[in-house]
Amino acid sequence: MEVRIEWIYRVPKGMETVFRSEEMPAAQAMLFVEDMERTGRVKDVTFIDRFDSSWTVKELKGYLKGIETEPHNIRVYFDGGYDRATSRSGLGCVIYYEQNGKSYRLRRNEFAANLISNNEAEYAALYLSLQELELLSVHHLPVRFIGDSQVVINHLSEEWPVIEKDLSSWADRIESKMKDLGIQPEYELVSRKLNAEADRLATQALNGIEITGTKEMTAD
């Protein structure tokens, strides 16, 4: 979860002013606040998340403690590929998350034969990622979904209306699954270059190469 810090700073002569930080991961924000509080000049600290909800220091500490052993700080890259000549599709997703103080990357792809367009394949790839999140027991957390499909990202972020019946059905399935899991989605549109890992997985699925695996990510 990303948050901003808002706090009142008091100088020795009694004057006060309000400061606001940039957005940062909640755990990092807590470290800053704990350090600032040692000065004895900080009061009324509040954390603001991306949904404009306010958190006290006690509430955020409880949240961070509660998610320590569960997957959190989750980023999902997804991509779908469609071969018009064969009417075959490949789906790919990459999920980055943290758990028990470690960072992980999950990769998964899947072949699909019953889709009719590239846009539908993109939706199916996002749905595949939701199924993986469910297997990870991800629930009631913010999740950032990152893809290069303007159609999917703009539909689900409600920038564009969903007109096509087939795509509307996928959007409904995805929103229903997110509601069941309590996921608070954030959407980010990126270039195909920045979505290369998921794109490669989708292509491998089209070529009959199945990829499923989780790897711990370590610093180089």
Side-chain angles (χ1 to χ4, degrees), residues 4 21 25 29 35 57 65 67 75 99 107 153 169 171 173 188 193 200 202 215 217-218:
R4 304 187 311 274
S21 76
D35 186 69
V57 173
K65 184 67 176 176
I67 66 171
R75 290 177 292 128
Q99 187 173 15
R107 297 192 302 159
I153 297 296
S169 176
R173 288 177 65 188
E188 181 178 349
K193 181 179 180 180
R200 185 163 55 251
K215 175 183 178 181
M217 307 299 288
T218 57

Side-chain angles (χ1 to χ4, degrees), residues 48-66:
I48 311 295
D49 65 24
R50 289 189 170 181
F51 301 93
D52 289 326
S53 296
S54 299
W55 300 68
T56 65
V57 173
K58 182 178 180 180
E59 288 171 341
L60 193 61
K61 281 183 177 179
Y63 169 81
L64 291 172
K65 184 67 176 176

Side-chain angles (χ1 to χ4, degrees), residues 17-199:
T17 189
V18 177
F19 286 96
R20 296 177 178 84
S21 76
E22 296 181 347
E23 208 170 64
M24 66 185 77
Q28 182 180 331
M30 184 60 68
L31 291 176
F32 275 112
V33 168
E34 289 174 348
D35 186 69
M36 291 188 299
E37 287 181 332
R38 294 189 187 101
T39 67
R41 298 179 182 176
V42 173
K43 68 175 189 176
D44 294 339
V45 176
T46 303
F47 301 94
I48 311 295
D49 65 24
R50 289 189 170 181
F51 301 93
D52 289 326
S53 296
S54 299
W55 300 68
T56 65
V57 173
K58 182 178 180 180
E59 288 171 341
L60 193 61
K61 281 183 177 179
Y63 169 81
L64 291 172
K65 184 67 176 176
I67 66 171
E68 218 170 63
T69 59
E70 300 178 358
H72 57 279
N73 289 344
I74 302 162
R75 290 177 292 128
V76 175
Y77 292 82
F78 68 94
D79 195 46
Y82 179 73
D83 184 352
R84 291 180 180 275
T86 61
S87 298
R88 293 149 55 99
S89 301
L91 319 177
C93 68
V94 186
I95 302 173
Y96 290 92
Y97 64 95
E98 296 176 19
Q99 187 173 15
N100 294 318
K102 298 179 181 180
S103 299
Y104 296 92
R105 180 194 65 188
L106 182 156
R107 297 192 302 159
R108 171 89 160 86
N109 70 356
E110 185 175 278
F111 170 79
N114 58 344
L115 307 178
I116 62 173
S117 69
N118 190 74
N119 286 334
E120 194 175 3
E122 294 277 8
Y123 267 106
L126 177 51
Y127 192 79
L128 174 66
S129 74
L130 287 175
Q131 292 176 311
E132 292 301 311
L133 291 177
E134 186 173 24
L135 291 174
L136 282 172
S137 297
V138 172
H139 60 91
H140 298 92
L141 287 173
V143 176
R144 182 176 297 185
F145 294 92
I146 305 165
D148 57 43
S149 169
Q150 288 191 351
V151 170
V152 173
I153 297 296
N154 287 324
H155 278 177
L156 294 177
S157 61
E158 299 183 348
E159 294 291 328
W160 294 355
V162 186
I163 299 174
E164 298 89 340
K165 184 177 179 180
D166 292 333
L167 301 187
S168 178
S169 176
W170 275 109
D172 289 343
R173 288 177 65 188
I174 286 168
E175 289 173 355
S176 177
K177 175 67 78 174
M178 287 189 183
K179 184 177 180 180
D180 289 344
L181 298 177
I183 287 176
Q184 304 156 23
E186 304 169 19
Y187 298 103
E188 181 178 349
L189 180 64
V190 297
S191 66
R192 187 172 183 179
K193 181 179 180 180
L194 294 178
N195 200 33
E197 198 169 16
D199 176 70

